[in-house]
Amino acid sequence: MEPRHRILGIVVLLVVTGGFCVQFAATDVWTPSQSDLAADPVAHDGDQVLVFGTVQSVEPDRDAVVVSDGTLEARVTDVDPKTVSGLEAGGEIQVAGTFHAEPSTIAADEVVVDIEGESDRRYVYGTSILGGLLAVVAFLRTWRIDVRGFRFVPRGER
């Protein structure tokens, strides 16, 4: 296959992928948004919400955590005690529940922990980087880059 055909194929795939991203971004999946909640909390009192945030503090004695995303800070209640015991400040969670305006509180129906804390974040990124490097090394031990042909060829071929 000629290099110009490869480049054309790559460009077409990137344009199609970008089109899918634009379409996904245009859909209003999260209603109300966290910025809407922060701007007018009273208008959304009692609404079902989905909030993504960083844990600011943990209240294990009350089974609650305080989360913030930069625009909205809310206290999340009714969190499973096992979930609360594993969290620390700096962790990231997703909360689905009922929003109450005064004070900004979310009665959690579901809490999903993305990252428990900073040590968890270092572990996730560290293992991902290590796995990526191992994959690259394994690939390059078998294949080499043919710059003139704009392709990968098995080692030993010219």
Side-chain angles (χ1 to χ4, degrees):
M1 181 182 272
E2 291 184 38
R4 67 177 183 212
H5 290 128
R6 285 191 187 128
I7 292 172
L8 179 63
I10 290 169
V11 168
V12 168
L13 288 174
L14 287 173
V15 168
V16 169
T17 303
F20 286 140
C21 292
V22 168
Q23 181 58 35
F24 180 76
T27 58
D28 189 14
V29 180
W30 317 113
T31 305
S33 70
Q34 290 172 220
S35 57
D36 292 342
L37 293 173
D40 191 8
V42 176
H44 300 289
D45 192 39
D47 286 357
Q48 285 294 113
V49 296
L50 179 61
V51 173
F52 296 77
T54 302
V55 175
Q56 301 300 312
S57 63
V58 180
E59 302 171 0
D61 55 326
R62 296 185 181 151
D63 296 332
V65 295
V66 176
V67 297
S68 174
D69 74 332
T71 58
L72 172 71
E73 185 169 307
R75 185 169 179 264
V76 180
T77 60
D78 303 330
V79 182
D80 182 29
K82 292 178 190 173
T83 304
V84 172
S85 67
L87 284 173
E88 58 187 52
E92 294 178 10
I93 62 173
Q94 302 171 24
V95 181
T98 306
F99 181 74
H100 301 289
E102 296 298 328
S104 291
T105 306
I106 301 170
D109 296 328
E110 180 87 26
V111 175
V112 177
V113 178
D114 291 330
I115 295 176
E116 291 182 349
E118 288 304 314
S119 60
D120 194 25
R121 183 183 320 276
R122 284 190 299 273
Y123 173 78
V124 168
Y125 288 126
T127 55
S128 296
I129 291 168
L130 179 62
L133 289 173
L134 288 174
V136 167
V137 167
F139 180 80
L140 291 176
R141 287 186 71 185
T142 307
W143 298 86
R144 67 177 179 80
I145 301 170
D146 178 11
V147 179
R148 287 188 181 164
F150 193 61
R151 62 185 177 161
F152 294 105
V153 295
R155 289 219 173 255
E157 279 188 23
R158 288 284 164 194

